[in-house]
Amino acid sequence: MPTKKKPQVTTGPAAPARRRELLDIAAAVFAEQGYNATTVRRIADNSGMLAGSLYYYFDSKDAMLEEILRTFLDELWDQYDTVLGAGLGPGETFQALVTESFRAIDRHRAAVAIYQNEAKQLIAQERRFAFLEVSQLKFEKTWLSTLERGVAVGEFRADLDTRVTYRFVRDTVWVAASWYRPSGRYSPEQIARQYLSMVLDGIAVRT
Amino acid sequence: MPTKKKPQVTTGPAAPARRRELLDIAAAVFAEQGYNATTVRRIADNSGMLAGSLYYYFDSKDAMLEEILRTFLDELWDQYDTVLGAGLGPGETFQALVTESFRAIDRHRAAVAIYQNEAKQLIAQERRFAFLEVSQLKFEKTWLSTLERGVAVGEFRADLDTRVTYRFVRDTVWVAASWYRPSGRYSPEQIARQYLSMVLDGIAVRT
Amino acid sequence: MPTKKKPQVTTGPAAPARRRELLDIAAAVFAEQGYNATTVRRIADNSGMLAGSLYYYFDSKDAMLEEILRTFLDELWDQYDTVLGAGLGPGETFQALVTESFRAIDRHRAAVAIYQNEAKQLIAQERRFAFLEVSQLKFEKTWLSTLERGVAVGEFRADLDTRVTYRFVRDTVWVAASWYRPSGRYSPEQIARQYLSMVLDGIAVRT
Amino acid sequence: MPTKKKPQVTTGPAAPARRRELLDIAAAVFAEQGYNATTVRRIADNSGMLAGSLYYYFDSKDAMLEEILRTFLDELWDQYDTVLGAGLGPGETFQALVTESFRAIDRHRAAVAIYQNEAKQLIAQERRFAFLEVSQLKFEKTWLSTLERGVAVGEFRADLDTRVTYRFVRDTVWVAASWYRPSGRYSPEQIARQYLSMVLDGIAVRT
DNA sequence: GATGAATGAGACTTCATTCAT
DNA sequence: TATGAATGAAGTCTCATTCAT
């Protein structure tokens, strides 16, 4: 029908490719300079347009950030859910989750970096980003139960505080986004293998 | 006696104590909300004064941040240098450095969190914070050489990429500042021991 | 035709015209109230916009001042250089320079007043205004050499201190900006003639 | 009597010497940096005290400025009135007034410079400085009538616009404060004589 | 007489956002 | 689709001034 729809924030039909492009540019800047320190004008400059023009595609700076993070988390959970539904043992699950995480870092480096840097503040300050907290809790439950199952079946050491271990593993994996470069000499799977080797077996020589 | 003394010893010179107090308040807010997202007014509110009054003590918001980070790093390097000058073997050095790091987190939790969140941007954007990069490089050299010495004498596994391991260890330690609470149920030394157990021996059961 | 042209010639590029307009308003206020005593908000009020909007056109209050003074000095030197390149004798040169100066006052009254009031401080306090000092030195050289040539060829009295005379002439001319009104009953050329009469022949009756 | 008087602003008996000293320091800074650009703290620094302490001696920054200017103008008018009451002819009066003006510049260089730079704005902006306008009007009347008497008796050229000539002479004299240095190679009387020679006889060679 | 600490108003500036074209 | 111009809120910082000690 002849009614023109203004593009929707989440699924807008108008020029979805351009949207993606703009979000990628925005994500790169957010990751590098920090969300607050990034001006809309900077994103526009990098996109070859003027600041005001971005508002044709997005409702606000916050909306861009939200879409970046949602896209990343949606895809991440797709992968995680596949792993979790595969009926693997705890050790295998653990390794698969770590590997998927490094793949996510590989594909969404900017989004991961943003998530690392900003999530805490966003959750505390804006209701719009409550979904981040939801994801975090689901995350925690997933990893904790995997670790506990692993302890139960004797695959993980029983003398570790599971909560501390959870944080240890979580940080260990995601912080890699701050230095990992897709074009570096390791593939995500290789990095994952190295990390797993350290986390599972330690860095000390076994005596 | 009729001699007028300026500041009484009992009261102490007011300014330095108040400065410390204000810096602690500022550090707490910076850590919680992020440096950019923190307004000078917020710091003043938390200090029971008006925004302008802070400028009686400090030249600028940046100057406050700089002093917070310098104080932390200066003290940290005092401890590190003591460890490094003690003539310990690489394994012992490693453990001592980790322990000192957790002690630093215990004493300067806010400063560590700020350092984690902001250092990258500060180095890139303001010459005033070049000292952060200097510290980072010294840091890297210290840890890398300790790891390499450990590999050389057979205390650390030889099959690990030292740079990746360095990042792994570094992140592992400092990210703890984002969740560690001084009043929690573990002392810094206990946390250090748990971390060392995981990092050195791994979380998997030895087969 | 279907080709879209960006700015129409009839309208002209909006920005440069508006800039000029805003600079004229700013110059008037700077001249009347003094640069420091003038608030950006005052300029905006006089321009029918909000203070922040000025920053769409100019980087800062200083930048506005700089552009005002540069525009004035550039044009002044254009005229001076034409006079100096005309191969006139010292007396004629002197008269032509004075006349051009009064014309400049006529066209850039506000800028001249600002220059008179602020140049000394600006040169001392901000590197950005070093060009004012350059101009001053060139100015001094020009007038001094004209006077000296005049003395040499016997057109000016030989018993005067040239430096003192230079200052006398310089001040005499430019201070007029503080009271000259373009709409007054004298044209710049008429004012120039009166000034020249006084300066060259004195106000006393010849005995 | 045992009552302690707080020092009065204008005639305060408490430490009048210190007041003078402070006013001299303030005048020097006002003259060099401009009134608005001068901070109370700067004056205090130059006086070896803290900003707040100045308020023991003076009610406000404005009050300091007022006292500086009043002191200067009072003394100037004392001298002028003496000249005007001496029953001299217009030419001699003219020369005597010019000479007194250069003496005033010699004794109150800072005050004269401040007067030159700020009077216009002060008169327009603050009622407290209305006395400046009173003085200006008296000034104008004095010089104008001297010039007119001189024309009437044939001592000054009749073909000059008296108002323009008045401004010419006035500016010519006072602007000297901007470059005259008491320790320079000319005494105020010598400078006066040079100025009079130029103003009365012109700089051109008589043909 | 002077200090040290704080106030409060106001300055310049930045920036996300809007909207007519 | 995009621009150009403008808004308005908010932020950092300055500074004259006050006042208890």
Side-chain angles (χ1 to χ4, degrees), chain A residues 177-188:
Chain A
S178 68
W179 54 265
Y180 177 72
R181 289 294 168 278
S183 52
R185 72 173 188 267
Y186 297 118
S187 72

Side-chain angles (χ1 to χ4, degrees), chain C residues 14-15 49-50 53 56-57:
Chain C
M49 39 169 43
L50 294 181
S53 306
Y56 178 75
Y57 296 94

Side-chain angles (χ1 to χ4, degrees), chain B residues 3 12 24 34 39 51 53 88 94 103 131 140 146 149 176 196 199:
Chain B
T3 62
D24 285 346
T39 68
S53 306
L88 305 173
F94 183 87
R103 285 197 184 119
F131 71 95
E140 181 173 352
T146 303
R149 278 171 54 218
L196 284 169
V199 170

Side-chain angles (χ1 to χ4, degrees), chain B residues 14-15 18 49-50 53 56-57:
Chain B
R18 189 85 172 110
M49 38 169 43
L50 294 179
S53 306
Y56 178 74
Y57 296 94

